[in-house]
Amino acid sequence: MHYGYARVSTKHQETNLQLDALTAAGITDIYHEKASSVGARPQLQQLLKKLQPGDVLVFYKLDRVARSLKDLLAIIEQVEAAGACIRSLTEPLDTTTPMGSFVLQILGAVAQLERSIIRQRSIAGQVAAHKRGVKFGRPLALTPDQEAEARAMLEAGKTRAAVVRHFDVSRIVIERIWDEMHGRKKTGLLPVLKDFL
């Protein structure tokens, strides 16, 4: 089964051009909506859920179905998971053909390259910021003096709950100090929370 999808961004626009092109291509079951690409697209979601193996999702142009390359690849992943294919009427994207599948692989490679470049830029920015003395993460709940005082209170026999109340901090903060005092360094939030579950 071939399903068509048409979309315009505002209520003042019409889908007539897309609908005419889809109809001329022999598509009779067409989902269309007037919705921004960044907003909810209920008709598209309904169509994606309906796809079965062997079905083809047909649209006029890529920007009518996807808001970005990342969004396009996510939609393609849903289509492929259903065992269906996609076809653009105006672009060389047709996964029912070997060339269309090749174009799709190129798009995937471009997206991977884009993610790698963004990651490298992010890491380089973090390194540069670190060299300038920028501190990452949330601010410390206790100053070094307060942390020393908390250690002294725990060593003197005060309960962890009492120390938590004294400094008005999260229990996790005092648990971290307690664990360090006893030679157990916990990393991350989950190992600490597991003690209280």
Side-chain angles (χ1 to χ4, degrees):
M1 183 75 179
H2 285 60
Y3 295 101
Y5 177 73
R7 181 187 63 80
V8 288
S9 301
T10 70
K11 292 180 179 178
H12 304 295
Q13 296 174 312
E14 296 298 332
T15 55
N16 294 340
L17 172 67
Q18 298 171 60
L19 295 176
D20 289 348
L22 289 166
T23 302
I27 313 299
T28 55
D29 197 345
I30 302 173
Y31 290 69
H32 57 100
E33 58 195 341
K34 295 185 177 185
S36 166
S37 65
V38 297
R41 294 167 289 175
Q43 289 295 310
L44 176 61
Q45 295 310 314
Q46 184 180 341
L47 172 53
L48 291 173
K49 288 176 185 173
K50 187 175 185 176
L51 293 175
Q52 300 290 323
D55 289 344
V56 181
L57 167 59
V58 185
F59 45 86
Y60 181 72
K61 199 173 177 184
L62 278 175
D63 66 358
R64 298 299 86 203
V65 74
R67 64 177 66 102
S68 65
L69 179 56
K70 181 179 177 182
D71 187 38
L72 173 64
L73 293 175
I75 290 169
I76 290 171
E77 187 176 330
Q78 283 183 266
V79 172
E80 288 182 337
C85 298
I86 63 165
R87 178 179 162 218
S88 170
L89 294 179
T90 60
E91 296 142 332
L93 184 58
D94 181 352
T95 60
T96 64
T97 68
M99 183 56 74
S101 296
F102 174 67
V103 169
L104 182 59
Q105 290 174 5
I106 291 174
L107 287 174
V110 169
Q112 179 61 45
L113 175 63
E114 183 183 35
R115 285 192 295 270
S116 297
I117 291 171
I118 289 170
R119 184 172 181 273
Q120 286 178 344
R121 283 186 193 146
S122 177
I123 291 170
Q126 290 173 0
V127 168
H130 183 69
K131 287 180 180 177
R132 290 193 310 271
V134 174
K135 300 289 185 191
F136 293 97
R138 69 176 65 179
L140 294 175
L142 298 176
T143 66
D145 288 343
Q146 289 174 321
E147 196 163 314
E149 184 183 348
R151 285 177 189 274
M153 290 173 70
L154 291 168
E155 287 170 355
K158 291 279 187 186
T159 65
R160 287 172 278 180
V163 179
V164 166
R165 284 193 301 272
H166 177 77
F167 289 102
D168 192 26
V169 293
S170 164
R171 184 164 182 165
I172 293 170
V173 174
I174 304 305
E175 286 299 325
R176 178 187 56 80
I177 295 170
W178 175 263
D179 287 335
E180 288 174 1
M181 288 171 58
H182 292 85
R184 299 189 306 264
K185 186 162 180 71
K186 296 192 177 182
T187 56
L189 190 58
L190 279 178
V192 176
L193 289 177
K194 277 169 64 178
D195 291 347
F196 303 105
L197 297 177

